Coordinates of all heavy atoms in Angstrom, one line a residue:
M1 N 75.8 83.1 110.9 CA 77.2 83.4 111.1 C 77.8 82.3 112.0 O 77.3 81.9 113.0 CB 77.4 84.7 111.7 CG 78.9 85.1 111.8 SD 78.9 86.9 111.8 CE 80.0 87.2 113.1
S2 N 79.0 81.8 111.6 CA 79.6 80.7 112.3 C 80.3 81.2 113.6 O 80.9 82.3 113.6 CB 80.6 80.1 111.4 OG 81.4 79.1 112.1
D3 N 80.2 80.4 114.6 CA 80.9 80.7 115.9 C 82.3 80.1 115.9 O 83.0 80.3 116.9 CB 80.1 80.2 117.1 CG 78.8 81.0 117.3 OD1 78.8 82.2 116.9 OD2 77.8 80.4 117.8
T4 N 82.8 79.5 114.9 CA 84.1 78.9 114.9 C 85.1 79.9 114.4 O 84.8 80.8 113.6 CB 84.2 77.7 114.0 OG1 83.8 78.0 112.6 CG2 83.2 76.6 114.4
L5 N 86.3 79.9 114.9 CA 87.4 80.8 114.6 C 88.2 80.1 113.4 O 88.3 79.0 113.3 CB 88.2 81.0 115.8 CG 87.6 81.8 117.0 CD1 88.5 81.8 118.2 CD2 87.2 83.1 116.5
P6 N 88.8 81.0 112.6 CA 89.7 80.5 111.6 C 90.9 79.8 112.2 O 91.3 80.0 113.4 CB 90.1 81.7 110.8 CG 89.9 82.9 111.7 CD 88.8 82.4 112.7
P7 N 91.6 79.0 111.4 CA 92.8 78.3 111.9 C 93.9 79.2 112.1 O 94.6 79.6 111.1 CB 93.0 77.2 110.9 CG 92.5 77.8 109.6 CD 91.3 78.6 110.1
F8 N 94.2 79.7 113.3 CA 95.2 80.7 113.6 C 96.6 80.2 113.4 O 97.6 81.0 113.3 CB 95.0 81.3 115.0 CG 93.8 82.2 115.1 CD1 93.0 82.1 116.2 CD2 93.5 83.2 114.1 CE1 91.9 82.9 116.3 CE2 92.4 83.9 114.2 CZ 91.6 83.8 115.3
E9 N 96.8 78.9 113.3 CA 98.1 78.3 113.1 C 98.6 78.5 111.6 O 99.7 78.5 111.3 CB 98.2 76.8 113.5 CG 97.3 75.9 112.7 CD 95.9 75.8 113.2 OE1 95.5 76.5 114.2 OE2 95.1 75.1 112.5
D10 N 97.6 78.8 110.7 CA 97.9 79.1 109.4 C 98.3 80.6 109.3 O 97.5 81.5 109.5 CB 96.7 78.9 108.5 CG 96.9 79.2 107.0 OD1 98.1 79.6 106.7 OD2 96.0 79.1 106.2
T11 N 99.6 80.8 109.1 CA 100.1 82.2 109.0 C 100.4 82.7 107.6 O 101.1 83.7 107.3 CB 101.4 82.3 109.8 OG1 102.4 81.4 109.1 CG2 101.3 81.9 111.2
T12 N 99.7 82.1 106.6 CA 99.8 82.5 105.2 C 99.5 84.0 105.0 O 100.2 84.7 104.3 CB 98.9 81.7 104.3 OG1 99.2 80.3 104.5 CG2 99.1 82.0 102.9
D13 N 98.5 84.5 105.7 CA 98.2 85.9 105.5 C 99.3 86.9 106.0 O 99.6 87.9 105.4 CB 96.8 86.3 106.2 CG 96.7 85.8 107.6 OD1 97.6 85.1 108.1 OD2 95.7 86.0 108.3
F14 N 100.0 86.4 107.1 CA 101.1 87.2 107.6 C 102.3 87.1 106.6 O 103.0 88.1 106.3 CB 101.6 86.8 108.9 CG 100.6 87.2 110.0 CD1 99.6 86.3 110.4 CD2 100.7 88.4 110.6 CE1 98.7 86.7 111.4 CE2 99.9 88.8 111.6 CZ 98.8 88.0 112.0
D15 N 102.5 85.9 106.0 CA 103.6 85.7 105.0 C 103.3 86.6 103.8 O 104.2 87.3 103.3 CB 103.7 84.3 104.6 CG 104.1 83.4 105.8 OD1 104.7 83.9 106.7 OD2 103.8 82.2 105.7
D16 N 102.0 86.7 103.4 CA 101.6 87.5 102.2 C 101.8 89.0 102.5 O 102.3 89.7 101.7 CB 100.2 87.2 101.8 CG 100.0 85.8 101.2 OD1 101.0 85.2 100.8 OD2 98.8 85.4 101.2
A17 N 101.4 89.4 103.7 CA 101.6 90.8 104.1 C 103.0 91.2 104.2 O 103.3 92.4 103.9 CB 100.8 91.0 105.5
D18 N 103.9 90.4 104.5 CA 105.3 90.7 104.7 C 106.1 90.5 103.4 O 107.3 90.9 103.3 CB 106.0 89.8 105.8 CG 105.5 90.2 107.2 OD1 105.0 91.4 107.3 OD2 105.6 89.4 108.1
R19 N 105.5 89.9 102.3 CA 106.2 89.7 101.1 C 106.7 91.1 100.5 O 105.9 92.1 100.5 CB 105.3 89.0 100.0 CG 106.1 88.7 98.8 CD 105.2 88.0 97.7 NE 104.6 86.8 98.3 CZ 103.2 86.7 98.3 NH1 102.4 87.6 97.9 NH2 102.7 85.6 98.9
G20 N 108.0 91.1 100.2 CA 108.6 92.4 99.6 C 109.0 93.4 100.6 O 109.4 94.5 100.2
F21 N 108.9 93.1 101.9 CA 109.3 94.1 102.9 C 110.7 94.4 102.8 O 111.6 93.6 102.7 CB 109.0 93.5 104.3 CG 109.4 94.4 105.4 CD1 108.6 95.5 105.7 CD2 110.6 94.1 106.1 CE1 109.0 96.3 106.8 CE2 111.0 94.9 107.2 CZ 110.2 96.1 107.5
L22 N 111.0 95.7 102.8 CA 112.4 96.2 102.7 C 112.8 96.9 104.0 O 114.0 96.6 104.5 CB 112.5 97.2 101.5 CG 112.3 96.6 100.1 CD1 112.3 97.7 99.1 CD2 113.2 95.5 99.8
A23 N 112.0 97.7 104.6 CA 112.4 98.4 105.8 C 111.2 99.1 106.4 O 110.3 99.4 105.7 CB 113.5 99.5 105.4
A24 N 111.3 99.3 107.8 CA 110.3 100.0 108.5 C 110.8 101.4 108.8 O 112.0 101.6 108.9 CB 109.9 99.3 109.7
L25 N 109.9 102.3 109.0 CA 110.2 103.6 109.5 C 110.4 103.5 111.0 O 109.5 103.1 111.7 CB 109.2 104.7 109.2 CG 109.4 106.1 109.7 CD1 110.6 106.7 109.0 CD2 108.2 107.0 109.4
V26 N 111.6 103.9 111.5 CA 111.9 103.8 112.9 C 112.4 105.1 113.4 O 113.4 105.6 112.9 CB 112.9 102.7 113.3 CG1 113.2 102.7 114.7 CG2 112.4 101.3 112.7
P27 N 111.8 105.8 114.4 CA 110.4 105.4 114.9 C 109.3 105.5 113.9 O 109.5 106.3 112.9 CB 110.3 106.4 116.1 CG 111.0 107.6 115.7 CD 112.2 107.1 114.9
G28 N 108.2 104.9 114.2 CA 107.1 104.9 113.3 C 106.2 106.1 113.3 O 105.0 105.9 113.3
T29 N 106.8 107.3 113.3 CA 106.0 108.5 113.4 C 106.3 109.4 112.2 O 107.4 109.4 111.6 CB 106.3 109.3 114.7 OG1 107.7 109.6 114.8 CG2 105.9 108.5 115.9
V30 N 105.3 110.2 111.9 CA 105.4 111.1 110.8 C 105.1 112.5 111.4 O 104.1 112.7 112.1 CB 104.4 110.9 109.7 CG1 104.5 111.9 108.6 CG2 104.7 109.5 109.1
T31 N 105.9 113.5 111.1 CA 105.7 114.8 111.7 C 105.5 115.8 110.6 O 106.0 115.7 109.5 CB 106.9 115.2 112.6 OG1 108.1 115.2 111.8 CG2 107.1 114.3 113.8
D32 N 104.9 117.0 111.0 CA 104.7 118.1 110.0 C 105.9 119.0 110.1 O 106.8 118.8 110.9 CB 103.4 118.8 110.2 CG 103.2 119.5 111.5 OD1 104.3 119.6 112.2 OD2 102.1 119.9 111.8
A33 N 105.9 120.1 109.3 CA 107.0 121.0 109.3 C 107.3 121.7 110.6 O 108.4 122.0 110.9 CB 106.7 122.1 108.2
A34 N 106.2 121.8 111.5 CA 106.4 122.4 112.8 C 106.8 121.3 113.8 O 107.0 121.7 115.0 CB 105.1 123.0 113.2
G35 N 107.0 120.1 113.4 CA 107.5 119.1 114.4 C 106.4 118.3 115.1 O 106.7 117.5 115.9
R36 N 105.2 118.7 114.8 CA 104.0 118.0 115.5 C 103.8 116.6 114.9 O 103.9 116.5 113.6 CB 102.7 118.8 115.3 CG 102.8 120.1 116.1 CD 101.5 120.8 115.8 NE 101.4 121.1 114.4 CZ 100.9 122.2 113.8 NH1 100.5 123.2 114.6 NH2 100.9 122.3 112.5
T37 N 103.5 115.6 115.7 CA 103.3 114.3 115.2 C 101.9 114.3 114.5 O 100.9 114.7 115.1 CB 103.3 113.3 116.4 OG1 104.6 113.3 116.9 CG2 103.0 111.9 115.9
V38 N 101.9 113.9 113.3 CA 100.6 113.8 112.5 C 100.1 112.3 112.3 O 99.0 112.0 112.0 CB 100.6 114.5 111.2 CG1 100.9 116.0 111.4 CG2 101.8 114.0 110.3
W39 N 101.1 111.4 112.5 CA 100.7 110.0 112.5 C 101.7 109.2 113.4 O 102.9 109.4 113.3 CB 100.9 109.4 111.0 CG 100.5 108.0 110.9 CD1 101.4 106.9 110.8 CD2 99.2 107.4 110.9 NE1 100.6 105.7 110.8 CE2 99.3 106.0 110.9 CE3 97.9 108.0 111.0 CZ2 98.2 105.2 110.9 CZ3 96.9 107.1 111.0 CH2 97.0 105.8 110.9
D40 N 101.1 108.4 114.2 CA 102.0 107.6 115.2 C 101.7 106.1 115.1 O 100.8 105.7 115.8 CB 101.7 108.1 116.6 CG 102.6 107.5 117.6 OD1 103.5 106.7 117.2 OD2 102.5 107.8 118.8
G41 N 102.4 105.5 114.2 CA 102.2 104.1 114.0 C 102.7 103.3 115.2 O 102.2 102.2 115.4
D42 N 103.6 103.9 115.9 CA 104.0 103.1 117.2 C 103.0 103.0 118.2 O 103.0 102.2 119.1 CB 105.3 103.9 117.8 CG 106.5 103.8 116.9 OD1 106.5 102.9 116.0 OD2 107.4 104.6 117.1
A43 N 101.9 103.8 118.1 CA 100.8 103.7 119.0 C 100.1 102.4 118.9 O 99.3 102.0 119.8 CB 99.8 104.8 118.8
Y44 N 100.3 101.6 117.8 CA 99.7 100.4 117.6 C 100.6 99.2 118.0 O 100.2 98.0 117.8 CB 99.3 100.2 116.1 CG 98.3 101.3 115.7 CD1 98.7 102.4 115.1 CD2 97.0 101.0 115.9 CE1 97.8 103.4 114.7 CE2 96.0 102.0 115.6 CZ 96.4 103.1 114.9 OH 95.5 104.1 114.6
R45 N 101.7 99.5 118.7 CA 102.6 98.4 119.1 C 101.9 97.5 120.2 O 102.4 96.4 120.4 CB 103.9 99.0 119.6 CG 104.6 99.7 118.5 CD 106.0 99.9 118.7 NE 106.7 98.6 118.9 CZ 107.9 98.4 119.3 NH1 108.6 99.4 119.6 NH2 108.4 97.2 119.4
F46 N 100.8 98.0 120.8 CA 100.2 97.1 121.8 C 99.6 95.8 121.1 O 99.4 94.8 121.7 CB 99.0 97.9 122.4 CG 97.9 98.2 121.6 CD1 96.8 97.3 121.4 CD2 97.8 99.3 120.8 CE1 95.7 97.6 120.6 CE2 96.8 99.6 120.0 CZ 95.7 98.7 119.9
L47 N 99.5 95.8 119.8 CA 99.0 94.7 119.1 C 100.0 93.6 119.0 O 99.6 92.4 118.7 CB 98.6 95.1 117.6 CG 97.3 96.0 117.5 CD1 97.2 96.6 116.1 CD2 96.1 95.3 117.9
E48 N 101.2 93.9 119.4 CA 102.2 92.8 119.4 C 102.0 91.8 120.6 O 102.5 90.7 120.6 CB 103.6 93.4 119.6 CG 104.0 94.2 118.3 CD 105.3 95.0 118.5 OE1 106.0 94.9 119.5 OE2 105.6 95.8 117.5
A49 N 101.2 92.3 121.6 CA 100.9 91.4 122.8 C 99.8 90.4 122.3 O 99.2 90.5 121.3 CB 100.4 92.3 123.9
D50 N 99.7 89.4 123.2 CA 98.6 88.4 123.0 C 97.2 89.1 123.0 O 97.1 90.1 123.7 CB 98.7 87.3 124.0 CG 99.9 86.4 123.9 OD1 100.5 86.3 122.7 OD2 100.3 85.8 124.8
C51 N 96.3 88.5 122.4 CA 94.9 89.0 122.3 C 94.3 88.9 123.7 O 94.3 87.9 124.3 CB 94.1 88.2 121.3 SG 92.4 88.7 121.2
P52 N 93.8 90.1 124.2 CA 93.1 90.0 125.5 C 91.8 89.4 125.4 O 91.2 89.3 124.3 CB 93.1 91.5 125.9 CG 93.0 92.2 124.6 CD 93.9 91.4 123.7
D53 N 91.2 89.0 126.5 CA 89.9 88.4 126.6 C 88.8 89.3 126.1 O 87.7 88.9 125.8 CB 89.6 87.9 128.0 CG 90.5 86.7 128.4 OD1 91.0 86.0 127.5 OD2 90.6 86.5 129.6
T54 N 89.1 90.6 126.2 CA 88.2 91.7 125.8 C 88.1 92.0 124.3 O 87.2 92.8 123.9 CB 88.5 93.0 126.6 OG1 89.8 93.3 126.3 CG2 88.3 92.8 128.1
A55 N 88.9 91.3 123.5 CA 88.9 91.5 122.1 C 88.6 90.3 121.3 O 89.0 89.2 121.8 CB 90.2 92.1 121.6
H56 N 88.0 90.4 120.2 CA 87.8 89.2 119.4 C 89.1 88.8 118.7 O 89.7 89.6 118.1 CB 86.7 89.4 118.3 CG 86.2 88.2 117.7 ND1 86.9 87.6 116.7 CD2 85.0 87.5 117.9 CE1 86.2 86.5 116.4 NE2 85.1 86.5 117.0
P57 N 89.4 87.5 118.8 CA 90.7 87.1 118.2 C 90.9 87.3 116.7 O 92.0 87.7 116.3 CB 90.7 85.6 118.5 CG 89.9 85.4 119.6 CD 88.8 86.4 119.5
S58 N 89.8 87.3 116.0 CA 89.9 87.5 114.5 C 90.1 89.0 114.3 O 90.9 89.4 113.4 CB 88.6 87.1 113.8 OG 88.6 85.7 113.8
L59 N 89.5 89.9 115.1 CA 89.7 91.3 114.9 C 91.1 91.7 115.4 O 91.8 92.5 114.7 CB 88.7 92.1 115.8 CG 88.8 93.6 115.8 CD1 88.7 94.1 114.4 CD2 87.8 94.2 116.7
W60 N 91.7 91.0 116.4 CA 93.0 91.3 116.8 C 94.0 90.9 115.7 O 94.9 91.7 115.5 CB 93.3 90.5 118.1 CG 94.5 91.0 118.9 CD1 95.7 90.4 118.8 CD2 94.6 92.1 119.8 NE1 96.6 91.1 119.7 CE2 95.9 92.1 120.3 CE3 93.6 93.0 120.3 CZ2 96.3 93.0 121.2 CZ3 94.1 93.9 121.2 CH2 95.4 93.9 121.6
R61 N 93.8 89.7 115.1 CA 94.7 89.2 114.1 C 94.6 90.2 112.9 O 95.7 90.6 112.3 CB 94.2 87.8 113.7 CG 95.1 87.2 112.6 CD 94.5 85.8 112.3 NE 95.2 85.2 111.2 CZ 96.1 84.3 111.3 NH1 96.5 83.9 112.6 NH2 96.7 83.7 110.3
Q62 N 93.4 90.6 112.5 CA 93.3 91.5 111.3 C 94.0 92.9 111.6 O 94.7 93.5 110.8 CB 91.9 91.8 111.0 CG 91.6 92.7 109.8 CD 92.1 92.1 108.5 OE1 92.3 90.8 108.4 NE2 92.5 92.9 107.5
S63 N 93.9 93.3 112.9 CA 94.5 94.6 113.3 C 96.0 94.5 113.2 O 96.7 95.4 112.8 CB 94.1 95.0 114.7 OG 92.7 95.2 114.7
R64 N 96.5 93.3 113.5 CA 98.0 93.1 113.5 C 98.5 93.2 112.0 O 99.5 93.8 111.7 CB 98.4 91.7 114.0 CG 98.5 91.7 115.5 CD 98.8 90.3 115.9 NE 99.2 90.2 117.3 CZ 99.6 89.2 118.0 NH1 99.6 88.0 117.3 NH2 99.9 89.2 119.2
L65 N 97.7 92.7 111.1 CA 98.0 92.7 109.7 C 97.9 94.2 109.2 O 98.8 94.7 108.4 CB 97.1 91.9 108.9 CG 97.3 90.3 109.0 CD1 96.1 89.6 108.5 CD2 98.5 89.9 108.3
C66 N 96.9 94.9 109.6 CA 96.8 96.3 109.1 C 97.8 97.3 109.8 O 98.1 98.3 109.2 CB 95.4 96.8 109.5 SG 94.1 96.0 108.6
A67 N 98.4 96.9 110.9 CA 99.4 97.8 111.6 C 100.8 97.7 111.0 O 101.6 98.4 111.4 CB 99.4 97.4 113.1
R68 N 101.0 96.7 110.1 CA 102.4 96.6 109.5 C 102.7 97.9 108.7 O 101.8 98.4 108.0 CB 102.5 95.4 108.6 CG 102.6 94.1 109.5 CD 102.3 92.9 108.6 NE 103.0 91.7 109.1 CZ 102.9 91.2 110.3 NH1 102.2 91.8 111.2 NH2 103.6 90.1 110.6
Q69 N 103.9 98.4 108.9 CA 104.3 99.6 108.1 C 105.7 99.5 107.6 O 106.5 98.7 108.1 CB 104.1 100.9 109.1 CG 105.0 100.9 110.3 CD 106.4 101.5 110.0 OE1 106.9 101.8 108.9 NE2 107.2 101.7 111.1
G70 N 105.9 100.2 106.5 CA 107.3 100.2 105.9 C 107.2 100.4 104.4 O 106.2 100.7 103.8
L71 N 108.4 100.1 103.9 CA 108.6 100.2 102.4 C 108.6 98.7 101.9 O 109.3 97.9 102.4 CB 109.9 100.9 102.1 CG 110.2 100.9 100.6 CD1 109.2 101.8 99.8 CD2 111.6 101.5 100.4
Y72 N 107.8 98.5 100.9 CA 107.7 97.2 100.3 C 108.0 97.3 98.8 O 107.5 98.3 98.1 CB 106.3 96.6 100.5 CG 105.9 96.3 101.9 CD1 105.6 97.3 102.8 CD2 105.9 95.0 102.4 CE1 105.2 97.0 104.1 CE2 105.6 94.7 103.7 CZ 105.3 95.8 104.5 OH 105.0 95.5 105.9
E73 N 108.6 96.3 98.2 CA 108.8 96.2 96.8 C 107.6 95.3 96.3 O 107.6 94.1 96.6 CB 110.1 95.6 96.4 CG 110.3 95.6 94.9 CD 111.7 95.3 94.4 OE1 112.3 94.4 95.1 OE2 112.2 95.7 93.4
V74 N 106.7 95.8 95.5 CA 105.5 95.1 95.1 C 106.0 94.2 93.9 O 105.6 93.0 93.9 CB 104.4 96.0 94.6 CG1 103.2 95.3 94.0 CG2 104.0 96.9 95.7
T75 N 106.7 94.7 93.0 CA 107.3 94.0 91.9 C 108.6 94.8 91.5 O 108.8 95.9 92.0 CB 106.3 93.7 90.7 OG1 106.9 92.8 89.8 CG2 106.0 95.1 90.1
E76 N 109.3 94.3 90.6 CA 110.6 94.9 90.3 C 110.3 96.4 89.8 O 109.6 96.6 88.9 CB 111.3 94.2 89.2 CG 112.7 94.7 88.9 CD 113.4 94.0 87.9 OE1 113.1 92.7 87.6 OE2 114.4 94.5 87.3
G77 N 110.9 97.3 90.5 CA 110.7 98.7 90.2 C 109.5 99.4 90.7 O 109.3 100.6 90.5
I78 N 108.6 98.7 91.4 CA 107.3 99.3 91.9 C 107.4 99.1 93.4 O 107.5 98.0 94.0 CB 106.1 98.5 91.4 CG1 106.1 98.5 89.8 CG2 104.8 99.2 92.0 CD1 105.9 99.9 89.2
Y79 N 107.3 100.2 94.1 CA 107.5 100.2 95.6 C 106.1 100.8 96.2 O 105.4 101.6 95.6 CB 108.6 101.1 96.0 CG 109.9 100.5 95.5 CD1 110.4 100.9 94.2 CD2 110.6 99.5 96.2 CE1 111.6 100.3 93.7 CE2 111.8 99.0 95.7 CZ 112.3 99.4 94.5 OH 113.4 98.8 94.0
Q80 N 105.9 100.4 97.4 CA 104.7 100.8 98.1 C 105.0 101.1 99.6 O 105.7 100.3 100.2 CB 103.6 99.7 98.1 CG 102.3 100.1 98.6 CD 101.3 99.0 98.5 OE1 101.5 97.9 99.0 NE2 100.2 99.2 97.8
V81 N 104.5 102.3 100.1 CA 104.7 102.6 101.5 C 103.4 102.3 102.1 O 102.3 102.6 101.7 CB 105.0 104.1 101.6 CG1 105.0 104.5 103.1 CG2 106.3 104.5 100.9
R82 N 103.5 101.5 103.2 CA 102.3 101.0 103.9 C 102.3 101.4 105.4 O 103.4 101.5 106.0 CB 102.2 99.4 103.8 CG 102.1 98.9 102.5 CD 102.0 97.4 102.5 NE 102.2 96.8 101.2 CZ 102.5 95.5 101.0 NH1 102.6 94.6 102.0 NH2 102.6 95.1 99.7
G83 N 101.1 101.6 105.9 CA 101.0 101.8 107.3 C 101.4 103.1 107.9 O 101.4 103.3 109.1
L84 N 101.7 104.2 107.1 CA 102.1 105.5 107.6 C 101.0 106.5 107.5 O 101.1 107.6 108.0 CB 103.4 106.0 106.9 CG 104.6 105.0 107.1 CD1 105.8 105.6 106.4 CD2 104.9 104.9 108.6
D85 N 99.9 106.1 106.9 CA 98.7 106.9 106.8 C 97.7 105.9 106.3 O 97.9 104.8 106.0 CB 98.9 108.2 106.0 CG 99.3 107.8 104.5 OD1 99.5 106.7 104.2 OD2 99.3 108.8 103.7
L86 N 96.4 106.5 106.1 CA 95.4 105.5 105.7 C 95.5 105.1 104.2 O 95.5 103.9 104.0 CB 94.0 106.2 105.9 CG 93.7 106.3 107.4 CD1 92.4 107.0 107.5 CD2 93.7 105.0 108.1
P87 N 95.8 105.9 103.2 CA 95.9 105.4 101.9 C 97.3 104.8 101.7 O 98.3 105.2 102.4 CB 95.7 106.7 101.0 CG 96.1 107.8 101.8 CD 95.8 107.4 103.3
K88 N 97.5 104.0 100.7 CA 98.7 103.4 100.3 C 99.4 104.3 99.3 O 98.7 105.0 98.5 CB 98.5 102.0 99.7 CG 97.8 101.0 100.5 CD 98.6 100.6 101.7 CE 97.8 99.5 102.4 NZ 97.1 100.0 103.6
R89 N 100.7 104.4 99.3 CA 101.4 105.2 98.3 C 102.3 104.2 97.5 O 102.9 103.3 98.0 CB 102.3 106.2 99.0 CG 101.6 107.1 99.9 CD 100.9 108.2 99.1 NE 100.3 109.1 100.0 CZ 99.2 109.8 99.8 NH1 98.5 109.5 98.7 NH2 98.6 110.6 100.6
R90 N 102.3 104.6 96.2 CA 103.1 103.7 95.3 C 104.1 104.6 94.5 O 103.7 105.7 94.2 CB 102.2 103.0 94.3 CG 101.3 101.9 94.9 CD 100.5 101.2 93.9 NE 99.5 100.4 94.6 CZ 98.3 100.8 95.0 NH1 98.0 102.1 94.9 NH2 97.5 100.0 95.6
A91 N 105.2 104.0 94.1 CA 106.1 104.8 93.3 C 106.8 103.8 92.4 O 107.1 102.7 92.7 CB 107.2 105.4 94.2
T92 N 107.1 104.3 91.2 CA 107.8 103.5 90.2 C 109.2 104.0 90.1 O 109.4 105.2 90.0 CB 107.1 103.6 88.8 OG1 105.8 103.2 88.9 CG2 107.9 102.8 87.8
C93 N 110.1 103.1 90.3 CA 111.6 103.6 90.3 C 111.9 104.2 88.9 O 111.6 103.6 87.9 CB 112.5 102.3 90.6 SG 114.2 102.8 90.8
G94 N 112.4 105.4 89.0 CA 112.8 106.1 87.7 C 111.6 106.8 87.0 O 111.8 107.4 86.0
S95 N 110.4 106.7 87.6 CA 109.3 107.4 87.0 C 109.3 108.9 87.2 O 109.5 109.3 88.3 CB 108.0 106.8 87.6 OG 106.9 107.6 87.2
P96 N 109.1 109.6 86.2 CA 109.1 111.1 86.4 C 107.8 111.6 86.9 O 107.7 112.8 87.3 CB 109.3 111.7 84.9 CG 108.7 110.6 84.0 CD 109.0 109.3 84.8
R97 N 106.8 110.8 87.0 CA 105.5 111.2 87.5 C 105.3 111.0 89.0 O 105.8 110.0 89.5 CB 104.4 110.4 86.8 CG 104.3 110.7 85.3 CD 103.4 109.8 84.5 NE 102.2 109.5 85.3 CZ 101.4 108.5 84.9 NH1 101.6 107.9 83.8 NH2 100.3 108.2 85.6
P98 N 104.7 111.9 89.7 CA 104.6 111.8 91.2 C 103.6 110.7 91.4 O 102.7 110.4 90.6 CB 104.1 113.1 91.6 CG 103.4 113.7 90.4 CD 104.2 113.2 89.2
F99 N 103.7 110.0 92.5 CA 102.7 109.0 92.9 C 101.6 109.6 93.7 O 100.7 109.1 94.0 CB 103.4 107.8 93.6 CG 104.2 108.2 94.9 CD1 103.6 108.1 96.1 CD2 105.5 108.6 94.8 CE1 104.3 108.5 97.2 CE2 106.2 109.0 95.9 CZ 105.6 108.9 97.1

């Protein structure tokens, strides 16, 4: 295994992750019918800070990519909700079938 780090000045992966972004859920929490928080994406906002010495820079970078949340247009008429739970959700505009 190589001890060299990837070129962090290359932000292509962030550009790819943000492609089609339409809007974020603000605040980034999901609650149940009783009002209890069942998902708190805002808990990951610490990743916006610089990588601490106690974390591996590549893991920090990957975590930043995974923490992105919101509604994305994948292609015309196909939308995806990301980062509000573990699985991804997709919807086709005008589709009578649930996603």
Side-chain angles (χ1 to χ4, degrees):
M1 185 154 132
S2 174
D3 289 332
T4 61
L5 295 174
F8 290 133
E9 63 276 358
D10 180 1
T11 60
T12 303
D13 48 357
F14 288 93
D15 297 337
D16 290 343
D18 290 336
R19 185 179 307 120
F21 176 76
L22 298 174
L25 179 66
V26 178
T29 56
V30 177
T31 57
D32 66 11
R36 294 178 299 222
T37 300
V38 295
W39 182 258
D40 185 1
D42 291 342
Y44 297 95
R45 295 200 61 191
F46 70 92
L47 292 167
E48 295 171 6
D50 290 337
C51 179
D53 293 338
T54 56
H56 192 284
S58 290
L59 179 59
W60 197 262
R61 182 182 177 96
Q62 183 65 27
S63 297
R64 281 181 166 177
L65 288 164
C66 291
R68 284 167 152 55
Q69 61 92 350
L71 178 64
Y72 294 77
E73 185 174 32
V74 178
T75 190
E76 187 176 340
I78 306 291
Y79 298 88
Q80 187 178 59
V81 176
R82 299 180 191 165
L84 297 179
D85 61 353
L86 293 179
K88 307 289 186 262
R89 302 283 184 214
R90 291 179 192 86
T92 303
C93 189
S95 172
R97 295 174 33 193
F99 56 94

